[in-house]
Amino acid sequence: DAGVIQSPRHEVTEMGQEVTLRCKPISGHNSLFWYRQTMMRGLELLIYFNNNVPIDDSGMPEDRFSAKMPNASFSTLKIQPSEPRDSAVYFCASIRGGAPAHNEQFFGPGTRLTVL
Amino acid sequence: RKEVEQDPGPFNVPEGATVAFNCTYSNSASQSFFWYRQDCRKEPKLLMSVYSSGNEDGRFTAQLNRASQYISLLIRDSKLSDSATYLCVVDGGSQGNLIFGKGTKLSVKP
């Protein structure tokens, strides 16, 4: 079975450019999470969708970040304009059901973003 | 106080050794606890849930101390393949979202 799919796997861009990260959750999973991981801050939740609806976006750093989930099989995380401090690994994860604390989270392989 | 705290390590141990990691959490209302494993440059994967009574999965034993708000992971008879970063994870809010510790790095040497 395919796991969580993320693209691109690596992205190098220049400051000020728009970056779009993509995620396809596991089929049948109805909750999706976007995380950011850095050495300094560890793994941080950015936003969480349940049945395509954003439930908690309190972790989104600022207005430069936006996320959408137009349907159950696709989500995007967009950074516009990007800044060097956005450099990190961005993970997407999904679960079956709507209770993050009671279901195993399955992570995608991540997108390693470098903003020069 | 950080929500989930772990000793970053690294813990360098020989094969066959027993090693233990601790983790403390700040939210006394947390109800769900996990250990995730993350290999270098890979995604985190669930290792095991942590139950109030403690639980064991092969060489791995997890324990929870609610009074002191800490969780432990014990690995017996360490293997080279156990080398990874171990993330302590706690549910942390009204939404029930998970809070991840920064991880403890384990390196098992021959």
Side-chain angles (χ1 to χ4, degrees):
Chain A
D1 286 343
V4 176
I5 298 172
Q6 290 187 245
S7 65
R9 296 291 304 276
H10 302 272
E11 177 82 28
V12 180
T13 191
E14 293 187 346
M15 182 174 62
Q17 296 298 306
E18 177 180 296
V19 174
T20 299
L21 311 182
R22 297 173 176 79
C23 176
K24 176 179 170 54
I26 293 173
S27 178
H29 284 195
N30 54 352
S31 293
L32 181 143
F33 307 81
W34 282 102
Y35 290 91
R36 177 173 67 177
Q37 187 175 39
T38 61
M39 288 291 291
M40 287 295 293
R41 301 174 68 89
L43 197 65
E44 302 173 287
L45 177 66
L46 299 177
I47 187 168
Y48 148 46
F49 293 88
N50 179 243
N51 292 325
N52 313 337
V53 176
I55 302 300
D56 182 2
D57 65 354
S58 59
M60 294 287 264
E62 48 199 271
D63 292 346
R64 297 184 299 107
F65 285 69
S66 63
K68 294 182 180 179
M69 192 164 185
N71 57 62
S73 60
F74 183 65
S75 177
T76 59
L77 177 67
K78 186 176 293 186
I79 308 173
Q80 166 65 16
S82 58
E83 297 182 2
R85 60 191 168 123
D86 301 330
S87 297
V89 181
Y90 290 80
F91 287 105
C92 176
S94 70
I95 65 170
R96 187 184 303 277
H102 301 286
N103 294 280
E104 177 180 357
Q105 293 201 12
F106 292 86
F107 284 77
T111 295
R112 187 170 297 272
L113 173 65
T114 303
V115 183
L116 302 175
Chain B
R1 181 180 176 185
K2 295 178 183 175
E3 293 185 87
V4 179
E5 289 201 65
Q6 297 182 249
D7 180 342
F11 285 61
N12 297 308
V13 303
E15 267 188 295
T18 296
V19 61
F21 309 136
N22 289 331
C23 158
T24 58
Y25 61 95
S26 61
N27 188 346
S28 59
S30 294
Q31 295 294 320
S32 300
F33 310 90
F34 309 90
W35 285 100
Y36 274 68
R37 171 193 168 130
Q38 186 172 23
D39 292 311
C40 186
R41 301 180 78 85
K42 297 287 190 181
E43 70 273 22
K45 293 182 179 178
L46 179 65
L47 177 66
M48 59 196 302
S49 301
V50 185
Y51 302 121
S52 296
S53 56
N55 49 298
E56 190 174 304
D57 182 1
R59 297 181 293 108
F60 297 83
T61 301
Q63 291 193 313
L64 168 65
N65 184 319
R66 285 189 186 274
S68 301
Q69 294 180 210
Y70 82 77
I71 305 152
S72 65
L73 177 68
L74 182 78
I75 305 175
R76 291 182 299 278
D77 188 23
S78 300
K79 311 291 185 190
L80 296 177
S81 58
D82 293 335
S83 297
T85 296
Y86 291 83
L87 306 173
C88 175
V89 186
V90 175
D91 82 276
S94 57
Q95 303 283 1
N97 293 328
L98 298 182
I99 308 296
F100 286 75
K102 292 185 182 179
T104 297
K105 185 173 182 179
L106 171 65
S107 181
V108 182
K109 307 291 187 184

